[in-house]
Structures are given as structure tokens and as C-alpha cells.
Amino acid sequence: MARHKEFDEQQALDQAVETFWSGTYASTSTQDLCESTGLSRSSLYNAFSCKADLYQRSLRRYGELKDAERTAYLEHPGTGREALEALLGHVLETQGGSEDRRGCMVINAAVEIGGDDDEVASLTRASLDGFRGVVAQLIARGQDDGSIATTAPAAELATVVHAALNGLQVGARVATDPAAAGRGLQTLMSLL
Amino acid sequence: MARHKEFDEQQALDQAVETFWSGTYASTSTQDLCESTGLSRSSLYNAFSCKADLYQRSLRRYGELKDAERTAYLEHPGTGREALEALLGHVLETQGGSEDRRGCMVINAAVEIGGDDDEVASLTRASLDGFRGVVAQLIARGQDDGSIATTAPAAELATVVHAALNGLQVGARVATDPAAAGRGLQTLMSLL
DNA sequence: ACGTTTTTGTACCGAACAGTTCAGAAAGAG
DNA sequence: CTCTTTCTGAACTGTTCGGTACAAAAACGT
């Protein structure tokens, strides 16, 4: 006795992710979101309560997508070192590359929102910790198979590797040489 | 035959730095800038042409201040390793610490503005490169005095160290444990 | 003291913003 | 066909924004 929804909410959310990711929370207007999702104003506000809520859901969705991408590398063949290098290279190519300078949406959120919004802070923290955890697992695997030195515990090495990767991504946003991040990665791997 | 300026433009600029640094470009209103500098709207726009210009000058001023802070560490006594550790520790304490979570204004600018504004991108690039250069010099000194391994050229190591430092600062913006960055620094130093 | 020049406070402008309202269109069930 | 319910487009609201206009006030040189 009722009409169906005519749009796919998940699909709209994915478009919102793209839109927020390409800019900042502040620079993304609700108008932009309407255009990218193809929804009218009322539909957008009917499906998602407000801009802040949509952003939060977008950030969570982004985290889920990226988390799936990362954890897939736990199954990557070869040594732990090889798997780790593949993962880090993939991240730099897709997020720090020359094609789009969007960087990582979680890092962008951490810098833009920071601790101003508890929910966003918690989401970004969880996402960063998740990534660090995957890096730690790969390093531990590398230490087991002998491809990575055991000079320091895997968890501590992971903190540094993860931080370096994030730092390289930030630098890539304004860098002139798109290959610089890749060279940084090579040096980073040589330290392990 | 004319009236003097009643306020110190440099002092006002320094206050603007503080204000922009504490937030984002978008979240800082001209009203905020008036209040923090103590200037009225007309005086502000008379001294600085527009918000974007004031931001640019603030960013440049911030870069100069931080550059002076950093280069002072080139005179730091002890080995290159000790000087480097002192510099990195100082940065984490003042910018990634628990007191204020403002992080580094240049990193914030790189993430928020990114490549959208050529002038800002150029400024941030110069500032990041400057920091990286100081790190490279300290590492080279450490390699000379034997306190840092020569497994890789100083310039390449500096890229990684600098990136890791920046990554730690980003993480500190949302971290719950304020000491985590410090531990990351210890591990980073142990890799050199 | 006076005229000149700059500073400064206030009021104002148009634009863009997030969010709401509401009438009508569309689609199901009987 | 018709009633009901949901969805959708468009117009609207109140606020905040960056920036401007202008007149009064303040301080200098003479």
C-alpha cells in the first residue's frame, strides 16, 4: 500500500563518500551532495538526517571499504615483507598518486575535524588503529619468516611504518614530484 | 601631517597565526580574526586585503617562525643523533602534545587547501621541504660522527623520518594516549 | 588652533549556506 | 478506478558569511 524508494540508499552513500572525500566537510555543500547523489534536497534530508550525520556515515562507509581492501593483503602471497610492501604501495598509488590528490579521507577528517567532534574523532581513531593493526600483523609475519628484522616488536614498528605512510600521503597532496612518495616507501622498507 | 597606526601590524599578524592555527581556514571567520587581533573590521581589511591574503601571510609567518626554531637545532650540541632526537621531540611536544591538539599549521594547510590554491600549495611545499632539509643535515652530521648508520643516503632517510614525524602528528590529533607519539619517536630513532 | 590625512566603529550588502515546508506526483493495494 | 501512503521538486526561511561604504574621530605638521 505504499510506494517504493526509487533510489538505492547505499549507492547514494557511496557517492557522498566520493564527494566528501574529494573536498572537506566544510567545502562540501548540501547542494554538491544533491548533485553527486542525484537526489533532491528533500530525499537527501529524508534519507540522512543532516549534513553532519551523512558525513559521519560516509566516513564510516569509507572506513569499511578501506578496511576490506587492507585486510585482503593479509592473504597476500609471499613473505610478510612482500605483502607489506604491496599494501603500502597500493595505498600510495591509489591515494597519494598523481591521478587524484585526495589523500586519505580519514587523515583529512582527523586534520579537519580533529577532536572537535567526538564521534568523528572516534571513527578516525578506529580506522587508523585498524590500519596500524594490519601493518603490525604483516610485520609480525615478516619477522616470523625472517624477511623483516626483529630489532623491535612488530607493534612498535607498525606505529612508525603507519605514521610514515600517512606522512608521505600528506606530503603528496602538495608535492610536485609524484614519484617522491614511492621513493620514500623504498627507503622505509629498507629500514626494516 | 598624518596619523600613526595605533596597532602593531606584526603583532596582529601573530595573533592571526594563532587563530588560523587553532582551527581551519574555513572555520575561522573574519569575526574571529577581528576578536583575536583586537582590530575592527575596517582596520583588519585596511591592513590585510582579504581573508585569503591574511591566511597566506599567516602561513608564511608561521613558516618563518618554525623555520627559525628548527634551524636552531643545527647548533644543538652533541652528536647528530642527539640533535635530531631533540628536534623531533621538541616538535612532538609542542605540536602533537596533549596541551593543544592543533598539530602543525603547515600540515593542516596542506590537507585542507591541498592543491586548490597554488600559492598556499607552494608555501606548504617550501615549508615541508625546509624541515626535511634540516632533518637531512642532522642525519648527515650523525652519519659523519658515527651516531647514525649509513645504510641509506641522508636525504632519503630524511624523507622517511620527516614523513613519520608528520604522520605521528596527524595521529596525535585524535589519539587518546598522548604518550603514543613519543613512543613512536623512540622506535623511529632506533631504526636509524 | 587648524586643516589634512589616516584610522576606526557601525551599519550595511549580496551571496551562500543548512535545513524546512508543502503541495502535488507517483505507485502500490483493493 | 480510487484511496492511501510515500516520495519528490521547488520555493522559502533565517542565519552567517566575506567584504564594502561612509562618516566621525583621532593625531599629526604647521
Side-chain angles (χ1 to χ4, degrees), chain A residues 4 69 84 123 138 182:
Chain A
H4 316 317
E69 262 185 57
L84 177 64
L123 272 171
L138 291 178

Side-chain angles (χ1 to χ4, degrees), chain B residues 110-149:
Chain B
V111 170
E112 186 192 0
I113 318 288
D116 294 353
D117 182 306
D118 288 342
E119 202 64 36
V120 169
S122 172
L123 272 170
T124 57
R125 204 181 306 124
S127 201
L128 292 173
D129 286 348
F131 198 170
R132 191 159 46 87
V134 171
V135 171
Q137 284 186 62
L138 290 178
I139 289 178
R141 191 174 121 197
Q143 289 180 327
D144 273 352
D145 65 31
S147 61
I148 293 179

